[in-house]
Amino acid sequence: MYAAATKDEDNDADGRFSAAWCGSLEVGLSLLEVKGICKSFGGLKAVSQVSFHLGEGEILGVIGPNGAGKTTLFNLITGFFKPDSGEVYFERKGLLHLKPHQICQRGMVRTFQLVKPFLQLSVLDNVIVAALNRAKTVREANEKALTIIEFVGLSEKKDTLATGLTLPHRKRLELARALATEPKLLLLDEVMAGLNPTETDELIRLLSKVNQRRMTFLLIEHVMRGVMALSNRVIVLNYGEKIAEGKPEEIVRTRQVIEAYLGEEFVSAHGRGD
């Protein structure tokens, strides 16, 4: 039922835009570790004692109802919020003393629910700006940007101002800008929101091709079609707490997850819960 978008072979752009994008799809050593992280706003516990790890080359989905703490968790991991307690390790090094731009330079990059490109810049210039995070010259950044734009399927739009892009194309631009920073870990926050089923399948295929190049993903998503097609494992948050973790096909049959998030309609459509 979720197999409409499969992980097909990638023949685009010859893998040129990151020398690190190579190797098998097997999950490698732990890249990210989150240990007992907590964050409260006043009397509200937005995230409470959440722990998990993410292996190199893995796609870990994060699901849960609105207000469950998913985006707050992203903000804690990427340095936009400081936790009240807990630890975050990336490549076995602590991150809590770093600012977001420093974390980006370490190789951890995130996207946001609302895509915010530089609207009065072209697609190419948007990606060049991101590429300058690592490129030593503008020429190098330009070459890298053109390769990535080709990879994400925006070559025909490279001279178009971002303000003139459709939502699906803006989503691809957001991904291109993130890839231009040469990340080791990409945190995607509801990247499929607002897309129709065909557009969703196209984006699933694109993300799958990126993952085949050894990219690691932490994926917040409400579109279960995407979660099921892409994720190796899934964690479920509810009221700031992790209530379940496992393979996607196990998670969707877990009674606690059905009651907290998926609902009985999902069970009726896709099978009986445990």
Side-chain angles (χ1 to χ4, degrees):
M1 73 193 78
Y2 296 102
T6 58
K7 298 186 176 183
D8 45 340
E9 292 295 324
D10 170 27
N11 296 313
D12 296 308
D14 299 322
R16 291 168 288 168
F17 52 88
S18 174
W21 284 27
C22 58
S24 69
L25 292 178
E26 293 180 1
V27 174
L29 297 175
S30 181
L31 187 66
L32 175 70
E33 293 184 69
V34 176
K35 296 184 176 182
I37 203 163
C38 299
K39 182 67 177 180
S40 295
F41 298 99
L44 174 65
K45 287 186 177 182
V47 175
S48 180
Q49 293 292 330
V50 172
S51 299
F52 64 89
H53 71 277
L54 178 57
E56 183 182 354
E58 186 178 18
I59 300 179
L60 178 63
V62 182
I63 66 173
N66 291 328
K70 303 183 298 296
T71 297
T72 299
L73 177 64
F74 264 31
N75 287 332
L76 292 168
I77 294 171
T78 54
F80 288 88
F81 292 161
K82 294 299 180 185
D84 300 328
S85 60
E87 298 290 340
V88 178
Y89 296 95
F90 183 62
E91 295 185 313
R92 300 184 180 182
K93 297 179 180 179
L95 296 183
L96 297 187
H97 64 289
L98 299 179
K99 296 181 179 180
H101 72 278
Q102 294 172 316
I103 293 174
C104 175
Q105 290 168 352
R106 291 276 183 97
M108 184 193 299
V109 178
R110 68 165 297 177
T111 64
F112 293 85
Q113 290 183 21
L114 300 177
V115 291
K116 295 182 179 179
F118 299 110
L119 293 176
Q120 299 307 315
L121 293 183
S122 68
V123 166
L124 177 58
D125 286 342
N126 263 277
V127 182
I128 287 174
V129 170
L132 286 169
N133 179 64
R134 296 195 185 277
K136 296 179 180 179
T137 66
V138 174
R139 180 177 179 179
E140 180 186 344
N142 184 79
E143 291 175 353
K144 182 188 296 183
L146 286 171
T147 302
I148 295 173
I149 287 169
E150 178 186 353
F151 179 81
V152 302
L154 287 178
S155 291
E156 295 183 358
K157 300 288 185 179
K158 67 182 178 65
D159 297 319
T160 302
L161 294 183
T163 189
L165 296 179
T166 63
L167 178 61
H169 285 151
R170 287 196 186 190
K171 299 275 188 177
R172 288 175 180 257
L173 175 57
E174 184 84 346
L175 178 61
R177 294 200 303 164
L179 293 175
T181 68
E182 296 186 11
K184 300 173 184 177
L185 169 59
L186 263 177
L187 291 82
L188 302 179
D189 195 350
E190 296 192 29
V191 70
M192 299 174 201
L195 301 182
N196 65 38
T198 299
E199 294 162 349
T200 297
D201 283 349
E202 290 173 351
L203 186 55
I204 289 171
R205 282 190 287 269
L206 177 57
L207 293 176
S208 183
K209 290 196 298 184
V210 176
N211 179 242
Q212 286 180 354
R213 294 167 178 253
R214 200 63 180 172
M215 181 62 65
T216 307
F217 288 106
L218 186 60
L219 175 72
I220 290 177
E221 193 53 69
H222 282 294
V223 179
M224 289 303 296
R225 185 182 188 86
V227 174
M228 297 298 292
L230 290 169
S231 301
N232 302 111
R233 290 185 297 122
V234 176
I235 63 174
V236 186
L237 299 184
N238 192 36
Y239 294 110
E241 298 182 349
K242 186 177 77 173
I243 63 170
E245 179 175 354
K247 295 180 180 180
E249 58 271 21
E250 298 169 345
I251 289 296
V252 297
R253 294 195 299 266
T254 302
R255 173 54 54 182
Q256 189 176 10
V257 176
I258 293 168
E259 292 176 350
Y261 179 53
L262 295 176
E264 295 298 337
E265 291 184 1
F266 185 93
V267 179
S268 299
H270 302 292
R272 184 176 180 179
D274 296 335

